[in-house]
Amino acid sequence: SAYILDDQSLYGHGVAQVFNDTLVEIGAEVLGFEGYDPKAPDYQALMTKIADAAPDLVYVGATVENNPSKVLLDMRGLMPADEVIFLGPDGLFTQAFIDGAGDASEGAFLTFAGLPTNELEGPGADYFTRMSEILGHAPDGYSTYSYDCTVAIIQAIDQVGEKDRAKILEALMGTTNFTSLVGKTWSFTETGDIDNPSMSINEIKPNDEGELAITFLDVIGE
């Protein structure tokens, strides 16, 4: 059973709606589905209501800017990690989410539409090492995908060789057999998605240095 929350943003509600619909489809019990106020000072009353419903899992569709760390902090005050699972989307896949929730973030699970940068091999591993040295910390999970997007756009511009947005877009959408930093080769589909995506499940737990960090567990569906 699950209780579903979202930050009332287009993204947060969208991923929460997909999660809700999928649970309904597979026959799981949805105990509640509502938006929370991202500007609220606390969520004690909300968490009391959710705790009374006794879910196995609380899903929070949100981005890190919309107070999900405080949601998790108040949740853990009533629902410890060994009793109720916290699951969030890639909008929470940042160190800022961990910093905001502190120790309460330990044991939280996050999905990510790709592979974390520290799990990459080959060119991706080299990118991770170089960027970590430059930044002083691990690069954000989506940085490799931003890198790939930039390269794909530059290649399309180079292919067209003139200032024509329509032609550049057509060339970009026609990208095939693109070798990604994440170690995959992909092409664009008609909808502008890649035809070889990955989805990973990750857990926040202490790393080798004893600091809480997002830790890769597995690739979903592979």
Side-chain angles (χ1 to χ4, degrees), residues 32-52:
F33 182 6
E34 62 182 286
Y36 71 87
D37 179 2
K39 297 182 180 179
D42 70 75
Y43 302 98
Q44 296 293 335
L46 175 60
M47 290 306 151
T48 298
K49 179 176 71 172
I50 294 175
D52 288 343

Side-chain angles (χ1 to χ4, degrees), residues 24-69:
V24 171
E25 183 180 331
I26 66 176
E29 184 178 12
V30 177
L31 299 173
F33 182 6
E34 62 182 286
Y36 71 87
D37 179 2
K39 297 182 180 179
D42 70 75
Y43 302 98
Q44 296 293 335
L46 175 60
M47 290 306 151
T48 298
K49 179 176 71 172
I50 294 175
D52 288 343
D56 297 310
L57 179 149
V58 173
Y59 182 87
V60 179
T63 58
V64 70
E65 298 84 3
N66 285 331
N67 225 10
S69 296

Side-chain angles (χ1 to χ4, degrees), residues 36-204:
Y36 71 87
D37 179 2
K39 297 182 180 179
D42 70 75
Y43 302 98
Q44 296 293 335
L46 175 60
M47 290 306 151
T48 298
K49 179 176 71 172
I50 294 175
D52 288 343
D56 297 310
L57 179 149
V58 173
Y59 182 87
V60 179
T63 58
V64 70
E65 298 84 3
N66 285 331
N67 225 10
S69 296
K70 180 58 175 172
V71 171
L72 178 53
L73 270 169
D74 289 352
M75 173 186 166
R76 287 298 176 230
L78 294 171
M79 293 170 275
D82 59 352
E83 295 181 9
V84 183
I85 295 169
F86 177 96
L87 178 63
D90 46 9
L92 311 184
F93 199 85
T94 67
Q95 184 63 40
F97 175 65
I98 299 175
D99 294 341
D103 291 342
S105 66
E106 184 171 358
F109 292 92
L110 303 174
T111 55
F112 178 63
L115 294 174
T117 51
N118 62 340
E119 289 296 318
L120 303 179
E121 299 178 353
D126 178 63
Y127 170 87
F128 174 79
T129 299
R130 290 187 293 107
M131 291 305 298
S132 295
E133 292 174 351
I134 293 171
L135 297 171
H137 58 80
D140 181 84
Y142 272 125
S143 62
T144 50
Y145 298 92
S146 298
Y147 186 102
D148 284 349
C149 286
T150 303
V151 173
I153 292 168
I154 290 173
Q155 288 180 347
I157 293 172
D158 186 56
Q159 178 182 335
V160 173
E162 60 179 298
K163 189 177 179 180
D164 188 316
R165 293 188 179 188
K167 290 182 179 179
I168 292 170
L169 179 59
E170 182 179 1
L172 177 63
M173 290 294 291
T175 300
T176 58
N177 299 318
F178 183 94
T179 302
S180 169
L181 269 183
V182 301
K184 287 192 170 189
T185 300
W186 54 260
S187 303
F188 276 130
T189 66
E190 293 180 355
T191 57
D193 298 302
I194 63 172
D195 61 0
N196 191 14
S198 297
M199 176 72 76
S200 62
I201 183 72
N202 307 268
E203 182 181 2
I204 298 174

